[in-house]
Amino acid sequence: MRRKKRLLLTLALCSLTLGACATQPVDGSAANPQAGTMSTGVALLGLLTVITITPALLMMVTSFTRIVVVLSLLRNAIGVPQLPPNQILLGLALFLTVFVMAPQWQAVNSEALQPYMRGEITEADAFDRAQRPIREFMLRQTREQDLALFVKLSGSAQPNTIEDVPTYVVIPAFIISELKTAFQMGFILFVPFLVIDIVVSSALLSMGMMMLPPMVVSLPFKILLFVLVNGWYLIAGSLVRSFG
């Protein structure tokens, strides 16, 4: 029974390496078989819950949100909403997220998962250590005014240090900060393509070709511009460096 419980908790910690900010586990009593069975059932329920919400955690507490929003805005700025396909766009965002979050996940593995598997720390210590690297990452990317907003909305006492801010307050503040940053980057991406649209529309209007949609003419120039400046290289580099 104890080995089964250790396996469940190990799997839960592995889920944390995908960005989960976990809650405290429920300890069972090995001396009481009935209590141990109940504790194992609760642990299994907790594990299933973690597995269910892992995709949401992956999107919300990592760099995925900013990356996928910027890539979506870029696709719309070029003017081809179907290309690249959603599967390609999400796949690129996912692997860029893995690249950006690799140091945090390595820290979770070395500081929480491995010591727990060697029996050096307790379950509660393992969960506490596992969420620290993710919290630090989120706090580095979160604006102070966004954090202050959710501290105020939570109705909790004013924290003395950043460590006093609860994780459930940090997460929504991080998300809206990421969305703001992503839209700022998207605005900058729109500018050169907007200039091309304006130039093409003015040229067509001056030639009296009002029946020809400007998008049909401007699209090849947008793609040509994006290829000439090595757009994917610049976008990927800018996204990764933005988390520095």
Side-chain angles (χ1 to χ4, degrees):
M1 186 69 68
R2 187 169 182 80
R3 292 182 60 187
K4 188 188 221 178
K5 183 178 176 183
R6 286 173 63 88
L7 177 59
L8 292 173
L9 289 169
T10 300
L11 291 174
L13 281 171
C14 290
S15 298
L16 276 175
T17 61
L18 295 177
C21 294
T23 57
Q24 294 294 332
V26 178
D27 294 331
S29 175
N32 188 341
Q34 184 176 0
T37 303
M38 183 179 299
S39 178
T40 302
V42 173
L44 179 59
L45 180 61
L47 173 62
L48 293 176
T49 302
V50 170
I51 293 175
T52 302
I53 65 176
T54 291
L57 290 170
L58 174 63
M59 292 186 291
M60 296 293 100
V61 302
T62 65
S63 58
F64 184 84
T65 300
R66 182 189 305 184
I67 293 173
V68 76
V69 170
V70 170
L71 293 178
S72 298
L73 289 173
L74 171 66
R75 184 172 64 176
N76 284 277
I78 295 176
V80 189
Q82 297 82 20
L83 293 174
N86 287 331
Q87 294 86 346
I88 301 298
L89 204 68
L90 292 174
L92 176 59
L94 178 61
F95 281 103
L96 286 176
T97 300
V98 172
F99 183 83
V100 171
M101 299 299 297
Q104 284 72 40
W105 293 341
Q106 290 171 0
V108 170
N109 181 62
S110 61
E111 297 175 10
L113 182 58
Q114 294 303 324
Y116 173 75
M117 294 180 68
R118 293 193 296 265
E120 298 174 358
I121 58 176
T122 64
E123 300 159 2
D125 290 337
F127 276 92
D128 183 61
R129 291 187 183 186
Q131 66 177 335
R132 287 178 192 170
I134 308 299
R135 265 182 62 97
E136 292 174 0
F137 171 80
M138 290 191 293
L139 289 170
R140 285 199 305 269
Q141 309 301 326
T142 304
R143 293 176 172 83
E144 291 184 7
Q145 61 179 2
D146 296 331
L147 193 59
L149 170 65
F150 283 95
V151 169
K152 181 179 180 181
L153 292 176
S154 68
S156 57
Q158 189 70 21
N160 296 322
T161 64
I162 198 66
E163 299 298 329
D164 296 333
V165 180
T167 301
Y168 72 88
V169 173
V170 175
I171 293 176
F174 167 75
I175 293 171
I176 65 172
S177 291
E178 287 293 278
L179 289 174
K180 181 177 180 179
T181 302
F183 274 81
Q184 288 175 339
M185 297 179 70
F187 171 77
I188 296 174
L189 290 174
F190 262 91
V191 171
F193 299 112
L194 178 61
V195 171
I196 292 177
D197 283 334
I198 293 174
V199 171
V200 170
S201 297
S202 300
L204 292 177
L205 185 61
S206 64
M207 290 186 294
M209 303 174 66
M210 293 177 292
M211 301 301 295
L212 180 64
M215 184 64 67
V216 175
V217 180
S218 64
L219 180 58
F221 291 101
K222 291 180 181 179
I223 297 176
L224 179 62
L225 172 66
F226 193 71
V227 171
L228 289 177
V229 300
N230 201 357
W232 292 114
Y233 171 88
L234 295 175
I235 294 300
S238 299
L239 281 170
V240 172
R241 283 192 293 269
S242 68
F243 293 98

